[in-house]
Amino acid sequence: MSSHTLEGKKKSQNGVKRLVFSVLSILLEVIFLVGIFNGLNEYAVVIDNMTRLVGFILVLKIYGKNETSSMKTPWIILILAFPILGVALYLMTGMNGGTKKMRMRYKVLDDKLLPMLPQNEEILDRLKEEDPKAGNVSTYIKGIARYPVYQNTDVKYFDEAVKGLESQLVDLAKAEHFIFMEYHAIEDEYAWSRIQAVLEDRVKAGVEVRVFYDDMGSIGFVNLNFARKLEAKGIACRVFNPLLPGLNMFLNNRDHRKITVIDGKVGYTGGYNLANEYFNYTHPYGEWKDTGIRLEGDAVTSLTAAFLEMWEASGKEKIEKDTFDLESRKKYLEQHPYQAVQKGYIQPYADCPLDGIQVGEDVYISIVNKAEKYCWFMTPYLIITDEMTHALSLAAKRGVDVRIITPGIPDKKLIYSITRSFYHNLVQDGVRIYEWTPGFCHAKMSVADDCMATCGTINLDYRSLYHHFENGCFMADCDVVTEIRDDMEQTFGQCREVTEKYKSGRSASLRLGQLFLRLFAELL
């Protein structure tokens, strides 16, 4: 066995040990708190009654919250069935000071950063006039997520992640001023070594390089000293929300974004992380299907803003409404002279789980609701709310060709079982389900009516739609829309359609098990 492989195994083992240690620490804290409550209940009935009263009040509070029932129901059942455990967990989650502090930090930051983007009202008006369906979705993104729509941007679509990687390496080597890279997972192996070699060369040429990655996403891929190693090479590095022992409910919110920005002129995003399996250098789950896009032109500015949001929020500088100043960051948001060949509309956007607005889900539902002929999705996981289920089913009942591609080989068997539990109700209403037989499809895309599409990091699951920091790109009336459609059509030919299989009933024991898993799916 090569030393390179041994080193990779060691990093993975160290990451797993750190994860297990942190999880055990959290469990011990929960057991300790529940033990205190139980101990009190043994000596005082009044404490037990007070716990149940608090539980009942919390249930009413949760029931009245303005959020989907899919998110409320697990808490209600947990508190009613196990009052001590349920109340303790909910109070620690809902009243977590760290989460509230980060929520305010992001709000102040976004209120200062996002208005620095061009508003492009005339471009939005033009889109609404030329394509009202796409214009309606774009209006939502601009009004709620505060990311504008652009033209004067060329888009290139990659139907394989490795094609995106090769293109990135070429563009990275041309950087003159700055490189920003933000990824959920980085593996310190072959794929990353190729990137790091280019980054080190650019640092020597005087280019500012920043790398930002999620600790949980990379926990099996890198050592604890990975960030320090990059810093020693002159690469600024920050780790999002480090996994440390102790009960911190902000740990539930991970950075799932995938962004590369080069000089504010070229940008990349899509479904792939920077690890060997994404580029089919290794095959832990058969073949790997992932996609991405390259932007060049005005729309790159929004990718830069999305990166700066996470970078600044994770720094040590105080972010307060009256004192925080972003003037020194304006240079990164400057638009550069460029004449695009393509004429389409491009709208990169980001989603923050702390603001109570599910931008990713709302965009998907809006596209489904506007579709008239067809609406296709590709997603690694299918764990969706009642609202999303209703939108997909209603579109199919209207005669829209609704299809969803999921993996044929899972990366997580438990999650795969939950994914399949959603098939039955969808196919009964006319939605068609396909499983990609060569392996694991990790791409997150949608396309509708040959006029609009999305590509980015947002899965059709609770984690992406409600808990993670995500980013996507809405595209309308441009070549990449039909390119995504063509790739989807080719992918259908590599799938097994399971629509008819899941129309039939399931055994009572299987239904019961799947219903139990679905009940707590939003917590997984």
Side-chain angles (χ1 to χ4, degrees), residues 451-499:
C451 67
M452 52 186 168
T454 63
C455 181
T457 71
I458 308 171
N459 301 322
L460 280 173
D461 71 353
Y462 291 151
R463 299 239 116 243
S464 272
L465 300 176
Y466 283 82
H467 296 313
H468 286 166
F469 292 85
E470 303 278 359
N471 76 280
C473 188
F474 177 71
M475 299 161 285
D477 298 335
C478 53
D479 295 342
V480 73
V481 173
T482 52
E483 290 173 10
I484 290 175
R485 178 206 63 196
D486 293 344
D487 187 27
M488 289 262 206
E489 287 182 332
Q490 183 178 356
T491 306
F492 288 137
Q494 302 170 333
C495 295
R496 58 174 175 262
E497 184 173 1
V498 297
T499 304

Side-chain angles (χ1 to χ4, degrees), residues 17 40 181 229 285 308 354 468 470 478 503 519 522:
K17 287 178 182 176
L40 291 172
M181 302 188 75
K229 184 183 77 169
Y285 314 107
L308 287 174
L354 304 180
H468 286 166
E470 303 278 359
C478 53
K503 279 184 178 178
L519 182 62
E522 73 100 354

